[in-house]
Amino acid sequence: MTNAQPFRRSMKVFGVLMLTLSSVTPASSVFVILPSVIQQAGSGAMLSLLGAGVVSFCMAFVYAELASAWPLAGGEYAMAGRGLGSFAAFTLMGANLVGYTLVLPVLSLGAAEYLGVVWPGAPAVPVAVATIVVATLSGLLNIRLNAWVTGVFLAVEVLALAALTAVGFSHGARPIAEVLVHPQAMVGTVLGPAPSAAIALAITLAIFAYNGFGAAVYFSEEMHEAPTKIARTILLALAITLTLEFLPTAAVVLGAPDLAATIRSASPFGDFINGVGGRFLGVAVSLGVAFAIINAVIASVLITGRILYSTGRDLAWHGAVNHAFTRLHPKFDSPWIAMLITGAVGVGFCFIPFHLLLVFNGMAVVATYIALCLAAIAARITGASAHAPYRMPLFPLAPVVGLIALAGVAWANWIDPTLGRPSLLATAGVMIAFGA
């Protein structure tokens, strides 16, 4: 390892929590990912979200124990490496770098759609480039200032979701017991009982929607008393995420005047808020989603910059590159060169076809989760994590349940020749290349 300048510990649980929830970006998940859950599972989407919540809590326990043992800016690759060895560290490093860098254009290219309510015909690529540039410049500033900036954006995001939830529950069209016991989905062109397989398959999408709660570990080197507080931060981040994503979905499923039309809609949440809440509320919620996207891009720049800092500290590159990645700004204490490079690469990726961005980004989460489950089990067996202040309950239940669920997710992607299988192969290729 290099003699890299360490980060200053300047944040408490609240600041790290704001950055973590901004990385999760619940509003973006609700409006971008969860429509596919509704289209697939119908009103069974509520059951899918509950199932995904169980899997996510298993992963949160895994994250919490590993992060408590190794609260490092390298995040998943650093934790997996200490649990499984250097090969796992380098392969997961590749998945993380590619995954988080591609998140920047994937999110930013969606910003124009929601800005369209005040800027009709907003060009996607220029808006995406401007979003990444602004996020990168913000990321160069002090981490505490970024925690406040993302906290303000997050408040706007939460207000938008709260408005959606309130409108949905105030227009209840069907009882919750009916939805949970007799969920319905589109069977051909008519409503019918939701197939159990469709509900189960939608769980895989819901897992992606909840992802991001473990991002707290990336900021742990800037957190006071991280070993004892990081686990609580991760578990709290997931609990808030589940609440912010489940309640709006339940509100729309229970409050939709025409359930069949909602299931068929490409934008069920947007159509619902515009149809039931009115034009003004629809515009306000759309702007809230745009803020959520910008917020998520800021958080992703901060995370990727810290991953690069950690790789430089671990001597993953040429000497000069390692030195550049580990340089901290003398005033803002940020890895400024690493973040400028992150922003530049993100801007470049905005010009790649969107389909390819999804292919190379899709399976990184699954690969990361699998590696962490294996690392948690191995570290317990070898005693490598014995010093961790936090120990997950009922070990090894959480990582075992996680591995079983993730095997199902991987299989569901493998049998999808359009996006799932190419994504699986692309992720494997990146990981092999970094591990070689």
Side-chain angles (χ1 to χ4, degrees):
M1 298 178 68
T2 65
N3 294 320
Q5 180 184 347
F7 290 107
R8 289 195 294 267
R9 296 193 182 274
S10 59
M11 287 194 297
K12 297 182 179 179
V13 169
F14 181 78
V16 175
L17 186 61
M18 292 301 98
L19 292 168
T20 304
L21 291 173
S22 298
S23 173
V24 176
T25 180
S28 296
S29 294
V30 167
F31 280 84
V32 177
I33 300 175
L34 294 187
S36 297
V37 175
I38 292 178
Q39 291 158 12
Q40 186 165 312
S43 62
M46 291 175 62
L47 294 174
S48 298
L49 286 172
L50 290 173
V54 173
V55 176
S56 296
F57 262 110
C58 288
M59 289 309 309
F61 287 131
V62 170
Y63 265 98
E65 181 167 315
L66 292 176
S68 178
W70 300 294
L72 299 168
E76 289 99 346
Y77 98 77
M79 296 187 298
R82 283 156 178 79
L84 295 173
S86 60
F87 177 78
F90 279 104
T91 56
L92 205 56
M93 179 194 299
N96 285 353
L97 281 175
V98 172
Y100 271 107
T101 304
L102 291 180
V103 160
L104 303 179
V106 167
L107 289 172
S108 300
L109 287 167
E113 176 183 351
Y114 294 99
L115 288 174
V117 295
V118 294
W119 182 9
V125 172
V127 168
V129 169
T131 299
I132 294 175
V133 169
V134 170
T136 302
L137 294 177
S138 175
L140 296 176
L141 303 176
N142 180 274
I143 191 67
R144 290 186 64 188
L145 178 58
N146 272 289
W148 281 107
V149 169
T150 56
V152 171
F153 279 16
L154 184 65
V156 175
E157 180 178 351
V158 171
L159 286 175
L161 291 175
L164 174 61
T165 302
V167 170
F169 283 129
S170 65
H171 291 77
R174 56 196 58 83
I176 187 170
E178 173 188 317
V179 171
L180 293 176
V181 178
H182 302 291
Q184 291 186 302
M186 298 306 298
V187 181
T189 58
V190 297
L191 275 176
S196 298
I199 295 174
L201 193 58
I203 290 176
T204 66
L205 295 171
I207 291 172
F208 287 114
Y210 290 149
N211 179 58
F213 52 85
V217 67
Y218 292 107
F219 308 107
S220 56
E221 291 189 37
E222 296 156 275
M223 181 184 190
H224 293 294
E225 304 175 64
T228 58
K229 294 184 177 180
I230 192 66
R232 180 177 58 180
T233 307
I234 290 170
L235 293 170
L236 184 58
L238 177 59
I240 295 173
T241 297
L242 263 61
T243 302
L244 292 178
E245 296 187 18
F246 179 80
L247 289 181
T249 306
V252 169
V253 168
L254 297 174
D258 185 342
L259 182 59
T262 298
I263 295 172
R264 287 194 299 262
S265 172
S267 181
F269 295 95
D271 290 349
F272 176 83
I273 198 66
N274 283 316
V276 178
R279 169 68 179 169
F280 176 79
L281 188 57
V283 170
V285 170
S286 291
L287 289 177
V289 177
F291 275 111
I293 291 173
I294 296 170
N295 204 23
V297 175
I298 293 174
S300 296
V301 168
L302 292 169
I303 289 170
T304 311
R306 279 150 182 80
I307 295 175
L308 288 176
Y309 167 90
S310 189
T311 63
R313 185 173 60 185
D314 292 340
L315 304 177
W317 317 97
H318 183 274
V321 177
N322 293 327
H323 178 69
F325 283 168
T326 54
R327 288 191 63 183
L328 300 183
H329 192 281
K331 180 177 180 180
F332 300 126
D333 196 41
S334 61
W336 62 279
I337 295 179
M339 284 195 288
L340 286 175
I341 292 173
T342 296
V345 173
V347 166
F349 282 162
C350 288
F351 298 92
I352 293 177
F354 191 74
H355 176 77
L356 292 179
L357 293 176
L358 292 179
V359 166
F360 280 96
N361 187 53
M363 287 298 295
V365 173
V366 175
T368 298
Y369 280 5
I370 290 174
L372 292 182
C373 287
L374 294 174
I377 294 172
R380 277 287 191 108
I381 293 173
T382 62
S385 62
H387 63 285
Y390 174 83
R391 309 288 275 180
M392 74 179 81
L394 302 177
F395 178 85
L397 181 62
V400 169
V401 171
L403 286 172
I404 293 172
L406 293 166
V409 173
W411 174 249
N413 278 270
W414 179 256
I415 61 178
D416 173 19
T418 304
L419 182 61
R421 189 178 302 169
S423 179
L424 193 65
L425 294 173
T427 301
V430 169
M431 295 178 73
I432 291 171
F434 271 79

